[in-house]
Amino acid sequence: MKSKYADLRLNEDINKIEEAADCIKHGGIVLFPTETVYGIGANALDEKAVNKIFKAKGRAPDNPLIVHIASIDMLNKLVQEIGEVEEKLINNFWPGPLTVIFNRKNNIPNNVTAGLETVGIRMPSNGIARKLIECADLPIAAPSANISGRPSGTKIEDIIEELDGKVDYILDSGMTDIGVESTVVRVIENKVHILRPGKITAEDIKKLGIDIVIEKQIMEECNPNEKVMSPGMKYRHYAPNTKCLLIYSDDENKLIDKINKEIASGKNILVLGRTKHLNKYKTENKLDLGESLEDISKNIFTLLRKVDSYNSDLVIIEGVKKEGLGLAIMNRLIRACEHNYTEIN
Ligand code: AMP
Ligand code: MG
């Protein structure tokens, strides 16, 4: 059966959002936009509804979901306490793309948190997401909209094939703004540990006078049997079927030379490069990452979904400096390349 579909690209039809919210109230699951990526949402207090999300995505049951809220009142009903540092983060970055881990109350079903004593919560800034939560008057548990392992959905055209019929309702508002999932943080002894980098950067948090720890798993390969602070990090994610190689150098000329050498090797290579470099590559097979970090963040998932159609032997992706939003971009790209990464000095 096909999912119900509402086109909100030109006009935010509140009647359709109310219909989708009603679906959530009755135990259904809804594909909806946020400012980061699309999510698949269910009533976070309804274990059965949440199970439908795991089934639709084929998500491992030990990978917890983020709960989306629209008010501090909702937060108070879900968490044990809000510490001073957490409060500072909330005051500065909510609503927005920051997920904060809290000690949870027992009203949250175990499948939402994958049995953990903590829960990840965020207040999205996207107007449709906010209205959906407000109309449902419920916290909404929502992972990214994609089959597990695939790149997260940033526009409906990319994910309709894999999710149509698996969700009850689809709210389409065009391409999402940020393009990478939220920053996930946990406060331990007054320090903010970054478990997953995103649009809210380590530098943004440091500016508040808070100490930061960037978890090493962000760039390293995790052993699937190892206990990690952010369970999502241990899963294969974003990788196309074609082999990918990520290359970065601070020196642009060295980067371009290295990629052209690979192209000259005779292999059929597809290059994903920055706009200003594209005409320097001696191949017809290239895709434009965009120029600014904001462009690249917005484009990476939709581009990663395109690469297999080129049937190339190898995809070479230009890396960026691991600073600011660049850390989030590199975290996603290094995983798309399954840690096949070269840095040239
Ligand atoms: P996704 O919903 O696909 O963006 O993935 C959400 C990610 O947030 C998970 O894969 C975890 O890595 C992280 N996360 C959610 N809840 C928690 C939690 N309670 N503790 C640590 N990490 C969490
Ligand atoms: Mg995801």
Side-chain angles (χ1 to χ4, degrees):
M1 206 179 69
K2 277 191 148 344
S3 309
K4 224 166 166 186
Y5 170 87
D7 184 354
L8 309 182
R9 281 174 299 179
L10 295 177
N11 152 30
E12 259 183 40
D13 185 344
I14 188 71
N15 295 321
K16 301 287 186 198
I17 301 175
E18 274 170 358
E19 237 177 63
D22 219 48
C23 175
I24 288 199
K25 277 187 181 168
H26 289 93
I29 61 175
V30 172
L31 205 166
F32 69 101
T34 79
E35 67 276 26
T36 57
V37 299
Y38 276 85
I40 303 177
N43 174 1
L45 304 175
D46 177 345
E47 187 167 18
K48 259 197 189 153
V50 169
N51 254 336
K52 290 182 189 168
I53 300 178
F54 280 91
K55 201 165 158 226
K57 286 189 54 124
R59 186 173 175 104
D62 66 349
N63 194 359
L65 307 185
I66 292 168
V67 177
H68 295 68
I69 57 168
S71 68
I72 297 299
D73 205 35
M74 274 188 187
L75 177 66
N76 287 324
K77 290 186 181 138
L78 300 170
V79 306
Q80 298 276 353
E81 70 279 307
I82 303 167
E84 229 173 272
V85 177
E86 284 88 345
E87 200 171 325
K88 222 175 186 180
L89 294 172
I90 290 170
N91 290 339
N92 281 277
F93 300 117
W94 281 9
L98 179 76
T99 297
V100 182
I101 309 291
F102 295 92
N103 291 325
R104 70 183 180 107
K105 281 191 176 149
N106 287 334
N107 56 342
I108 305 173
N110 273 329
N111 57 355
V112 171
T113 67
L116 298 172
E117 287 308 307
T118 54
V119 60
I121 300 190
R122 89 173 183 102
M123 189 188 285
S125 60
N126 177 283
I128 295 173
R130 291 292 289 281
K131 283 180 196 132
L132 182 69
I133 302 165
E134 281 162 9
C135 292
D137 197 20
L138 287 165
I140 294 183
S144 55
N146 53 276
I147 295 294
S148 281
R150 300 275 294 139
S152 303
T154 51
K155 56 181 181 193
I156 296 297
E157 298 92 296
D158 284 352
I159 48 178
I160 190 86
E161 234 172 81
E162 65 194 54
L163 293 172
D164 196 18
K166 293 187 177 167
V167 299
D168 298 296
Y169 211 114
I170 297 174
L171 296 175
D172 183 356
S173 71
M175 198 157 175
T176 56
D177 277 345
I178 296 171
V180 294
E181 309 89 339
S182 61
T183 309
V184 177
V185 299
R186 179 163 179 187
V187 180
I188 301 169
E189 290 169 357
N190 290 325
K191 288 195 177 125
V192 169
H193 290 242
I194 300 196
L195 311 188
R196 177 174 76 184
K199 171 81 177 163
I200 306 287
T201 64
E203 292 83 350
D204 292 333
I205 299 171
K206 263 189 219 154
K207 275 188 203 145
L208 304 178
I210 300 173
D211 288 337
I212 294 281
V213 179
I214 296 179
E215 287 300 322
K216 67 173 180 22
Q217 286 139 12
I218 284 177
M219 285 302 163
E220 284 174 11
E221 217 159 345
C222 296
N223 175 344
N225 301 319
E226 199 184 326
K227 196 167 181 291
V228 292
M229 253 210 261
S230 182
M233 285 293 173
K234 67 183 183 198
Y235 288 103
R236 184 177 186 269
H237 214 340
Y238 317 122
N241 292 322
T242 316
K243 188 176 175 208
C244 297
L245 169 64
L246 180 63
I247 306 183
Y248 176 71
S249 176
D250 280 332
D251 182 328
E252 273 182 297
N253 294 324
K254 281 189 184 165
L255 176 70
I256 292 162
D257 284 352
K258 167 77 179 160
I259 294 179
N260 274 329
K261 250 187 219 142
E262 294 280 345
I263 292 169
S265 74
K267 273 188 267 174
N268 175 11
I269 289 175
L270 169 68
V271 179
L272 269 63
R274 277 187 132 137
T275 313
K276 66 175 173 190
H277 297 156
L278 275 192
N279 65 0
K280 304 208 164 81
Y281 293 125
K282 295 172 186 144
T283 171
E284 293 299 301
N285 292 339
K286 40 198 167 190
L287 287 169
D288 187 358
L289 282 173
E291 194 47 57
S292 65
L293 292 180
E294 281 73 19
D295 289 344
I296 298 173
S297 151
K298 192 167 176 153
N299 293 334
I300 48 177
F301 289 146
T302 191
L303 291 175
L304 285 171
R305 282 174 173 274
K306 282 202 181 106
V307 303
D308 284 333
S309 67
Y310 283 76
N311 288 318
S312 49
D313 302 319
L314 177 68
V315 181
I316 297 183
I317 308 178
E318 271 189 25
V320 298
K321 203 174 177 67
K322 294 181 210 120
E323 257 177 32
L325 182 56
L327 185 66
I329 292 169
M330 287 299 272
N331 165 265
R332 303 325 187 265
L333 288 179
I334 207 160
R335 307 182 80 218
C337 295
E338 300 189 275
H339 297 268
N340 191 15
Y341 175 51
T342 306
E343 201 167 307
I344 310 158
N345 295 313

